[in-house]
Amino acid sequence: MMAKLVSGMHKPRAQTLIHQRAIPNFFQELPIRKIKGLGKKFGDHVCETLSIGTMGELNRVSLSLLRAKFGTERGTWLCRISRGLDDAEVKG
């Protein structure tokens, strides 16, 4: 997920490197809809249900509330993704 996000930051020729400890600051103002899997209906549902719009705001929502609102699997995924944690394979 992070590779996909930062790869588009300085196109077409510049490379972007983001250190693990910089992720929280990077995410503070990042719109939720920029995240793969949150750009369409589910992203709209998350934003409307929680009255939020950024990954920083999502990060402050408790795991228990996320699970209560969106189910165990999706709630856990939202919690992890809001912290920059994603186990999905990077595809070329």
Side-chain angles (χ1 to χ4, degrees):
M1 173 200 45
M2 292 304 299
K4 180 72 173 167
L5 282 172
V6 299
S7 69
M9 289 177 65
H10 298 108
K11 282 189 172 186
R13 296 196 175 123
Q15 293 182 359
T16 303
L17 175 68
I18 185 164
H19 196 280
Q20 182 72 28
R21 66 177 173 255
I23 292 172
N25 288 336
F26 177 76
F27 267 32
Q28 278 299 63
E29 300 300 319
L30 185 70
I32 285 175
R33 290 173 181 88
K34 292 278 187 181
I35 302 297
K36 183 178 180 180
L38 291 171
K40 297 186 180 180
K41 288 183 181 182
F42 184 54
D44 290 341
H45 179 57
V46 169
C47 291
E48 290 171 13
T49 300
L50 301 174
S51 298
I52 60 172
T54 68
M55 294 302 288
E57 292 170 317
L58 180 59
N59 184 281
R60 292 187 286 275
V61 179
S62 71
L63 175 58
S64 59
L65 180 61
L66 291 172
R67 285 179 173 169
K69 297 285 186 185
F70 305 106
T72 302
E73 187 175 323
R74 280 187 158 183
T76 301
W77 179 79
L78 286 167
C79 183
R80 289 181 51 75
I81 212 82
S82 75
R83 288 156 177 76
L85 304 173
D86 184 21
D87 298 325
E89 181 181 338
V90 176
K91 297 178 182 178

